[in-house]
Every structure is written in structure tokens, then in C-alpha cells.
Amino acid sequence: MRFRDRAEAGRKLAGLLSELRDRGELPDPVVLALPRGGITVAAPVARALGAPLDVLVVRKIGAPHHQEFAVGALAADDPPLFDADTLDQLGLTEERLAPAVERERHELGRRERRYRGDRPPPDLRGRTVIVVDDGLATGATARAALRHVWRRAPARVVLAVPVGAPDSLDQLTEEADAVVCPLRPAAFSAVGQWYDDFEQLTDADVLDVLDALHAR
């Protein structure tokens, strides 16, 4: 099984989440997308559930000389969340990564201002929060996102991704009330390998989706 694009993946997730909603397991839902890639997956989910859609900007902290390999992540103004075992294996310290943290925090703030403007973050208290991304590799950004959401007093938290590495998904069952993922390939190397079209999105793409949903 593969996905044609993120929109198709979102429709697949929307079907699974609608079943949970119909069983009464998703009361008063709000959908939070991890941009950029998660936004076009989350849009069909929000429409199917009749739920508001917003963004939760999370930034990966990459290893030196290998930025795509996450050793930690940042969510909103929370302290950085590092994987201690990975830092030990790579001989890294939080102090050595401080410049990378500062760069990512600066970019996180820029995206927050770009995507939200003067609009405040949604009130999550007592609600079912569905965190959506386009896939899960190490799980670093998803973990940071889930812990940030829990600090805002929701009633229930669900992680929903179309595809993910089985080990990472198993670890994140400790961070959410439910993890919804239809594709868990044993031979997982990267999220993009499970999409025919995995074109990188722009800030304008994110804003187009948010504007369309808010107009509805």
C-alpha cells in the first residue's frame, strides 16, 4: 500500500477517525497539524470530523553534519526535548547543540507569526486534540508536539499519521491516548518512500489550506 499524495493519505485517516468519532471516542475534537507536511493531511480529517483546524509548529533539532537526523525537537516556547540515548550514542551534549536550538527556535517563531498572525492558539482545555502529521520516522517532533499539547489540559490526545516506523509508533503509545496509523511497514526508511507525490510544501501552501478551512 502506498499513498498517491498527502490529500489521499488524509482521506484514509479521516475514514479511520470518523469510525472512532461514531463510537463516541472523539468528543469535541480539534485538529492540530504539524506544518508544513501535516497540513494537507489534516485538512480532510478536519472536514470529515467537522472540527476546527489549526497548526502546531514543531521544529526538529538535527545532528551536526546530518540535519535530517533528529536528536531532539522544539514545540512552541517549550524547552527543547532531546533523546538522551541518541545524544550518548553520538557523543553530543545539549550545550554543543545550543546554536542549533537557537536557529530552530528562531525559525519556529517566524513560522508561528506567518501562519497565525494575530490569531491566538486554540483553547484545548477539555477537548479531544488530534495531532496530525504526514508520517513518523524517529518520532522526535511528534513527541515534542504531544507533550506540548498535554500541558494545555486537553481531555484526550490522539496522534494520527498515515505511515510510520513501527518501533517509533510503539514508543509513542505512551504519549497519547490513541495512535492511529494505517500503514506500519516493517521495511521503513523514510516517510517519503510511501508517497508517489511527496513534494515539499511552502508557507503559501499552508496559508491556503488554513484560509480555505477558516472560510468554511
Side-chain angles (χ1 to χ4, degrees):
M1 180 171 129
R2 290 172 58 86
F3 301 109
R4 183 170 62 251
D5 54 22
R6 291 182 179 90
E8 181 185 64
R11 290 191 291 272
K12 177 66 174 178
L13 274 185
L16 296 175
L17 290 163
S18 294
E19 293 176 6
L20 295 181
R21 187 253 339 258
D22 293 344
R23 296 203 298 265
E25 296 181 28
L26 301 177
D28 195 17
V30 57
V31 178
L32 294 183
L34 304 190
R36 298 177 178 133
I39 192 73
T40 49
V41 179
V45 171
R47 285 194 292 266
L49 299 179
L53 171 66
D54 211 315
V55 293
L56 173 54
V57 182
V58 181
R59 295 294 296 170
K60 174 171 55 182
I61 302 168
H65 313 300
H66 191 1
Q67 292 301 308
E68 289 305 307
F69 183 78
V71 297
L74 286 170
D77 57 356
D78 294 350
L81 178 64
F82 290 106
D83 185 314
D85 290 339
T86 301
L87 293 187
D88 287 343
Q89 291 168 11
L90 298 178
L92 296 172
T93 64
E94 295 187 20
E95 290 75 16
R96 183 181 172 189
L97 291 166
V101 171
E102 189 60 29
R103 287 195 303 272
E104 296 303 339
R105 196 176 292 283
H106 182 270
E107 176 62 13
L108 189 154
R110 184 198 70 79
R111 293 195 187 195
E112 281 275 3
R113 293 187 296 272
R114 183 83 169 96
Y115 301 156
R116 181 167 286 113
D118 295 331
R119 183 167 46 84
D123 186 356
L124 305 182
R125 287 174 295 181
R127 304 192 71 170
T128 298
V129 181
I130 304 167
V131 176
V132 178
D133 204 357
D134 56 9
L136 189 90
T138 67
T141 54
R143 187 183 304 275
L146 293 169
R147 292 191 182 184
H148 174 76
V149 167
W150 278 118
R151 291 186 180 99
R152 295 168 64 185
R156 182 171 170 79
V157 179
V158 176
L159 174 65
V161 293
V163 58
D167 289 348
S168 298
L169 289 164
D170 288 345
Q171 292 170 10
L172 287 175
T173 59
E174 300 175 359
E175 305 282 348
D177 292 301
V179 175
V180 177
C181 179
L183 182 57
R184 303 175 180 226
F188 182 98
S189 61
V191 171
Q193 77 181 107
W194 302 99
Y195 288 85
D196 295 328
D197 177 2
F198 198 65
E199 182 179 3
Q200 296 305 301
L201 302 181
T202 66
D203 287 348
D205 294 325
V206 174
L207 291 169
D208 286 346
V209 173
L210 291 173
D211 289 346
L213 265 293
H214 292 154
R216 289 165 65 94

